[in-house]
Structures are given as structure tokens and as C-alpha cells.
Amino acid sequence: YDDLRRHLGLAVRSKDDVSYQPVVAVFAVAALIAAAASYAAFGEIRLVRSLEWFIAFSMCILAMLKLQDLESFSTMFLNYDLLAKRWVPYGYVYPFAELTAGVLMAAGALDWLSIPIALFIGTISAISVVKAVYIDRRDIKCACVGGSSRVPLGFVSLTENVMMIAMAVWML
């Protein structure tokens, strides 16, 4: 396919080109699942509950993508996460913590566990992103959708973390 595009003089994406497609796909699917769950549970789409489920489902999907190749994720994550730089196993723990918080939040269960997890990982990651991108001005790839991502670290990563923090605060 790429050879044919080159032969026809059409643009061919480089494997290093930036792409927001994975993030758009995650958030679109999470929104659709949240709306479907709301409709299934209540016979209508309830906005507040749908937004809660959207964040929880997004967390779960993002964690699943990270867990597909945990080694690559943890290596990428180590490039910018402040805690992972100090304690390397945190890069392996993070996706499991994100999944645990997301599942518990979706179920509305064990708030005493899900809220501190989401607050902790969301806050550490948000601070790490701000430091790496906005203070150190580093141009690196985000590990938010797994270790083979071409999504640049920045606004999208920060939004993911702020959503986690907001959900935890909302649940308080």
C-alpha cells in the first residue's frame, strides 16, 4: 500500500509522524459505551452518570492499551514520570492502578480505594506532564495509549490526568 502511494506521488505516513487517532478512538468509544450503559441502565441517557462512566471507561481502555505491552509502556513512561524515575517499578504498577480505579469507579464500589488511587496517580502524572512539557520544554511521545504511541506528550496526557483527578474529587 505504501509503495503504491509513493509510486502515485501521494503522501505516505512515516512511522514517526504524530497522530492523535488512538486518543480520539479511545475517547469516542468510551463515550459511546457510557451512553449505551446509561441507556441500558436507565432507559435514557443521563448526562451526569454518562460523564462519570465516560471517565471510568476511558481509564479502563487506556489501562488496557498500556497493559498490551507493559514493558514498552513502562520504558516510555520512565522518560517523563517523576515517580517512575525515582522508583522504576511504578511504571509497571501504574496501568494496574489505573485499571483498578476505573473499574471500581464504573461500578461505584469501594470508593475508599478508588478515590485515593485516582487522586494519587492522576496528580503525580499531571505534575510530571507539566514539568516535562511546559517547564522543561521536552518534545517526547506520550505513553498514555501504550508504549508504541505516536501521540505527543502534552495537552492530551494532561487532560487524561485532570479527568482522573476531577472524577476522584467529584466522588468525594
Side-chain angles (χ1 to χ4, degrees), residues 1 3 5 20 25 36 52 62 81 91 93 114 122 164:
Y1 177 76
D3 289 341
R5 288 189 62 86
Y20 289 97
E52 292 169 349
L62 289 166
D81 190 83
V93 170
S114 65
M164 251 191 287

Side-chain angles (χ1 to χ4, degrees), residues 10 55 59 63 66 74 83 89 103 128 136 147 164:
L10 300 173
I55 293 171
M59 290 168 63
K66 292 167 182 137
S74 64
L83 182 54
V103 168
S128 298
D136 297 344
M164 251 191 287

Side-chain angles (χ1 to χ4, degrees), residues 61-81:
I61 295 168
L62 289 166
M64 178 195 66
L65 292 170
K66 292 167 182 137
L67 289 168
Q68 285 182 339
D69 188 350
L70 190 53
E71 192 65 37
S72 291
F73 164 75
S74 64
T75 301
M76 265 182 102
F77 195 57
L78 187 62
N79 284 326
Y80 62 88
D81 190 83

Side-chain angles (χ1 to χ4, degrees), residues 47-57 105-106 167 170:
L47 184 61
V48 173
R49 190 59 181 142
S50 293
L51 288 173
E52 292 169 349
W53 278 335
F54 165 69
I55 293 171
F57 295 157
M105 288 175 164
M167 180 69 164
W170 172 258

Side-chain angles (χ1 to χ4, degrees), residues 11-44:
V12 176
R13 274 195 178 176
S14 164
K15 65 178 182 170
D16 296 327
D17 284 351
V18 169
S19 173
Y20 289 97
Q21 185 175 350
V23 176
V24 171
V26 166
F27 290 140
V29 169
L32 291 170
I33 293 170
S38 178
Y39 188 81
F42 308 115
E44 64 185 9

